[in-house]
């Protein structure tokens, strides 16, 4: 696969059916001895968008609160599918989802932190 082209990669909003793939990608990046989520909800963030290739989730973008207390969009990928162009497209899609979901800048940080923590805890219990 030519990873410099994004024409065959599709970008979509996160949904419940893609969460297992998101968890698998995250766990491949960061694991602890019990195969539960390592780190914290602030590291996992709040997933917003997925990238898929041939109906397989290959990456996802998430929003997390950075050390300066500001929302920041990051992504995790299956290594063989990563490219700068694909990452930019995924983050653009995630940014649109972010501004749709978190319109009020005054409450944005708290809402993101609460949602990420609830999702992280729920996934930790389910996984």
């Amino acid at each position: 696969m030519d990873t410099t082209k994004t024409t065959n990669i599709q970008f979509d909003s996160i949904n419940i059916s893609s969460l297992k793939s998101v968890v698998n990608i995250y766990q491949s990046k960061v694991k602890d001895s019990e195969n539960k989520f390592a780190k914290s909800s602030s590291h996992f963030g709040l997933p917003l968008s997925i990238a898929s290739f041939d109906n397989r989730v290959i990456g996802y973008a998430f929003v997390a609160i950075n050390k300066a207390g500001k929302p920041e969009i990051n992504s995790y990928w299956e290594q063989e599918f990563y490219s700068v162009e694909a990452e930019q497209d995924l983050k653009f899609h995630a940014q649109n989802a972010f501004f749709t979901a978190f319109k009020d800048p005054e409450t944005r940080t708290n809402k993101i932190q609460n949602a990420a923590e609830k999702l992280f805890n729920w996934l930790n219990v389910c996984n």
Side-chain angles (χ1 to χ4, degrees), residues 19-122:
L19 273 177
K20 182 64 177 164
S21 296
V22 165
V23 168
N24 289 340
I25 292 170
Y26 178 77
Q27 285 180 327
S28 73
K29 302 294 178 194
V30 184
K31 284 188 177 184
D32 72 6
S33 60
E34 295 179 6
N35 260 350
K36 293 231 177 193
F37 289 127
K39 302 282 184 172
S40 66
S41 61
S42 61
H43 186 261
F44 180 70
L46 182 64
L48 298 171
S49 295
I50 58 168
S52 55
F53 180 78
D54 282 343
N55 295 320
R56 174 180 155 199
V57 176
I58 58 169
Y60 74 98
F62 60 95
V63 61
I65 305 304
N66 65 20
K67 291 180 182 179
K70 304 287 184 196
E72 181 176 275
I73 295 177
N74 294 305
S75 66
Y76 289 127
W77 290 84
E78 290 187 11
Q79 186 174 356
E80 65 269 23
F81 291 98
Y82 176 80
S83 73
V84 172
E85 295 87 357
E87 182 181 42
Q88 288 172 342
D89 289 346
L90 178 61
K91 284 184 174 182
F92 179 77
H93 190 277
Q95 191 172 30
N96 289 338
F98 170 76
F99 285 118
T100 299
F102 302 101
K103 294 178 184 176
D104 182 16
E106 300 296 318
T107 61
R108 202 177 269 162
T109 300
N110 284 338
K111 286 183 177 182
I112 292 166
Q113 287 174 323
N114 289 339
E117 187 174 312
K118 286 178 183 179
L119 177 63
F120 184 82
N121 289 337
W122 179 72

